[in-house]
Amino acid sequence: MRDFHLPGRSMVFADNGICATSHPLAAKVAVDMLQSGGNAVDAAIAGAVLLGLCEPQMTGIGGDLFALVSQDGSDDVQAFNGSGRAPVALDAEAIRAAGHDVMPAYDVSAVTIPGAVDGFCQLSERFGKKGLDVCLAPAITYMEAGIPVAPRTADDWAHSETELHASAIPFYLVNGKVPKAGERFALPRQAEVLRRIASEGRSGFYEGEVAEDMVESLRRLGGKHTLDDFAEHRGYFGAPIEGEYRGSRLIEHAPNGQGATAILLNNILSAFDLSELDPVGADRAHLEVEAAKFAYDARDRFIADHDYVTRLEHMLNPKTGAELAELISPNWAAEVPSRLAENVHKETVYLTVVDRDRMCVSLIYSVFKDFGSGMASEKYGILFQNRGAGFTLERGHPNEAGGGKRPMHTIIPAMLADADGIRMPFGVMGGGYQPQGHARIISNMIDFGMDAQAAIDAPRCFFEKGQLKVERGYSPSVHNALHDLGHPVIEPYRAIGGAQAIYIDRKSGVLLGASDPRKDGCAIGY
């Protein structure tokens, strides 16, 4: 139980259903959908699409999604890959010839085909009860009328204004300015797009006038995208991957997502008795950071489009983790094994829903960097993701940029399971931080006995771009101790990531929702 003398929040207890996400309105819409007879997939779609209005710098219908779905809370989990491919005409050699040795993140060459809308359509068709038109209705209403901008969103918006291309400014500024907290923001043109999707399904987005708007806009920006690239896009269902951590199972999405990184990180940390350490002390943070360096190095070597991955089993093998653990010193910070991800992002929304039948949905939805590519379609203002920045330009690498390939993705939904089935669908926002965030939350709960909310609230640190970012939630003595171990410690401007979780108490049958105070959101149940 938390100390009620201190600031914090309690977990949300409910019998029939909960949604946890990063904006209260999206959580409410999801719960409204549950109460009106929809299931967890219906609720997840309704809430997620609305997040494109609530947090437009984070996500939108021009982005991608990944989802894990358990229909009854059992560990029979289906994974949906809603990531888009590069246009067929993308040529890594041409990009290198233009003088680039890494993918240019804010160039039209980084724009991949948006996969999220197809994902919402396929998830609704396979699992939903209400129908896609019903699920999109709340977002259509709010996109037309607008909503007040939330505080964290306003702060993020102000720090990413410079990423907006001239094509996006008319849609994503209000009277030419970044909206302040409480000011109203609307996307009426996207309400029209959603109406087309509601009535025509995926063809209302990937074909016809909306697709023409996107393709013509991209080609005017210098892109090589075609109507065929859009019309032929399809996401797909498949099996998840999993690993064990001290008797519990972490279920992750298979590549091209980076979920294998979290499993490898857990396998490395399994070699250490973390429960003997201070959960908010320097020793625990040091071991986690050092383990993450090796896990992320493996990610950058091996993870790519599923059709090109050859070393996945090596990453998932517990022996690999044990061997890497032997390379970690408790007394000093190692050099980074290789350069970590060339293009790093932080912009993602995550949502989880569990309904009265214990259908569990873990869904993550993103446009990659702040406002994606910064570019938008001219008529409807659809923000183009720059997920192609996740490619490498290294010749022969499995993740080398190429026409028709899916890039390595940072967004990863997750579920924690035990012998009785799904214990907790959860996710951590924060770009590259996500695998380390998964490992930290699981360790907080399993090694240190925290509940899901306490595990989310606890301070975080993350090695990125040659610096160890350490939140203020750690004491100054921890900052100093990490510096003495050789870590280049800085205090980040923004808190690291965000997280949402729903814990299923199998004994009582009660659902317990948790939501990260680093964001504007909450868990709501009924």
Side-chain angles (χ1 to χ4, degrees):
M1 180 177 290
R2 72 181 181 90
D3 186 340
F4 290 99
H5 283 253
L6 301 176
R9 58 172 62 175
S10 299
M11 296 189 73
V12 172
F13 288 63
D15 287 321
N16 295 312
I18 290 181
C19 174
T21 192
S22 50
H23 194 284
L25 188 58
K28 178 185 182 299
V29 161
V31 171
D32 287 347
M33 191 63 63
L34 295 178
Q35 289 184 292
S36 68
N39 64 18
V41 164
D42 297 320
I45 293 169
V49 176
L50 182 55
L51 286 168
L53 174 68
C54 300
E55 300 178 76
Q57 80 287 4
M58 296 281 182
T59 198
I61 56 175
D64 282 349
L65 70 79
F66 287 85
L68 298 175
V69 180
S70 167
Q71 290 184 267
D72 55 5
S74 72
D75 57 7
D76 180 14
V77 176
Q78 297 186 55
F80 183 78
N81 186 321
S83 64
R85 299 179 185 272
V88 169
L90 183 74
D91 181 5
E93 202 59 58
I95 299 171
R96 286 188 285 261
H100 300 286
D101 56 6
V102 299
M103 281 294 294
Y106 292 99
D107 184 82
V108 70
S109 63
V111 176
T112 50
I113 305 305
V117 169
D118 172 73
F120 294 131
C121 293
Q122 290 205 47
L123 288 165
S124 177
E125 182 178 357
R126 177 169 293 199
F127 297 114
K129 293 171 63 178
K130 283 284 197 176
L132 191 63
D133 56 339
V134 175
C135 296
L136 296 180
I140 292 170
T141 298
Y142 283 115
M143 285 193 178
E144 192 109 60
I147 63 168
V149 174
R152 172 63 196 266
T153 298
D155 187 60
D156 288 342
W157 209 320
H159 282 86
S160 54
E161 177 187 6
T162 57
E163 310 301 344
L164 288 170
H165 184 269
S167 60
I169 285 173
F171 301 98
Y172 294 95
L173 296 181
V174 178
N175 298 321
K177 296 181 179 179
V178 173
K180 295 182 172 62
E183 288 190 63
R184 188 166 295 277
F185 175 68
L187 287 170
R189 298 283 183 87
Q190 286 196 32
E192 185 177 341
V193 175
L194 292 178
R195 286 192 188 94
R196 290 173 182 259
I197 298 166
S199 62
E200 301 171 28
R202 68 177 310 282
S203 63
F205 184 81
Y206 293 97
E207 301 174 30
E209 190 175 354
V210 174
E212 289 168 3
D213 173 47
M214 290 188 284
V215 170
E216 290 170 7
S217 298
L218 286 166
R219 293 189 76 88
R220 275 191 284 271
L221 292 164
K224 298 182 178 180
H225 307 72
T226 68
L227 287 171
D228 285 344
D229 287 326
F230 278 77
E232 292 172 6
H233 168 77
R234 294 291 189 283
Y236 63 93
F237 287 93
I241 57 175
E242 67 174 65
E244 184 175 320
Y245 185 73
R246 309 199 203 284
S248 294
R249 293 173 14 252
L250 174 62
I251 299 172
E252 295 277 358
H253 204 290
N256 52 317
Q258 63 172 340
T261 314
I263 293 171
L264 174 56
L265 179 51
N266 277 344
N267 287 341
I268 298 170
L269 292 174
S270 293
F272 303 96
D273 186 0
L274 300 181
S275 65
E276 295 295 316
L277 304 177
D278 181 349
V280 293
D283 291 341
R284 189 247 179 142
H286 169 75
L287 288 176
E288 182 184 295
V289 169
E290 294 303 290
K293 289 177 182 177
F294 288 110
Y296 282 69
D297 176 57
R299 177 198 71 178
D300 293 344
R301 292 174 186 271
F302 304 136
I303 292 186
D305 187 321
H306 191 272
D307 294 338
Y308 294 82
V309 172
T310 60
R311 302 297 302 278
L312 179 60
E313 293 305 316
H314 172 72
M315 282 190 73
L316 300 179
N317 191 331
K319 182 181 177 182
T320 302
E323 290 174 349
L324 291 173
E326 293 178 358
L327 303 177
I328 294 175
S329 168
N331 302 314
W332 52 273
E335 294 288 329
V336 179
S338 71
R339 65 181 181 182
L340 296 178
E342 295 162 339
N343 281 305
V344 181
H345 91 289
K346 297 183 175 67
E347 312 314 324
T348 305
V349 297
Y350 173 81
L351 175 148
T352 180
V353 183
V354 178
D355 66 22
R356 67 189 309 157
D357 297 319
R358 298 311 181 248
M359 173 183 272
C360 302
V361 177
S362 183
L363 186 150
I364 198 158
Y365 173 39
S366 171
V367 291
F368 195 52
K369 287 182 178 283
D370 307 78
F371 287 107
S373 66
M375 298 176 275
S377 68
E378 294 179 8
K379 181 174 182 178
Y380 293 109
I382 298 168
L383 201 64
F384 298 120
Q385 66 178 348
N386 54 346
R387 185 56 68 175
F391 283 125
T392 181
L393 292 179
E394 180 184 336
R395 287 183 177 88
H397 193 289
N399 189 40
E400 181 184 8
K405 290 179 68 175
R406 290 182 167 93
M408 189 274 284
H409 251 270
T410 49
I411 59 175
I412 47 173
M415 292 184 178
L416 189 65
D418 57 23
D420 296 322
I422 303 304
R423 189 194 310 177
M424 186 176 76
F426 76 105
V428 179
M429 298 163 277
Y433 176 70
Q434 292 179 53
Q436 187 174 337
H438 288 195
R440 166 148 285 239
I441 286 176
I442 290 171
S443 176
N444 281 345
M445 296 177 71
I446 294 173
D447 293 318
F448 300 106
M450 300 182 194
D451 64 30
Q453 186 63 57
I456 287 171
D457 292 349
R460 297 171 182 157
C461 58
F462 182 47
F463 187 88
E464 183 179 59
K465 293 185 176 180
Q467 298 174 316
L468 179 57
K469 298 179 178 181
V470 183
E471 288 185 338
R472 287 196 296 271
Y474 282 104
S475 69
S477 63
V478 170
H479 285 237
N480 293 335
L482 288 169
H483 180 271
D484 291 343
L485 286 166
H487 295 284
V489 174
I490 66 162
E491 183 181 287
Y493 165 73
R494 295 177 184 173
I496 298 171
Q500 316 292 333
I502 301 172
Y503 186 86
I504 303 171
D505 188 324
R506 295 288 178 182
K507 292 182 179 179
S508 67
V510 172
L511 303 175
L512 293 81
S515 181
D516 203 320
R518 295 169 179 83
K519 300 287 185 177
D520 294 312
C522 60
I524 298 177
Y526 79 107

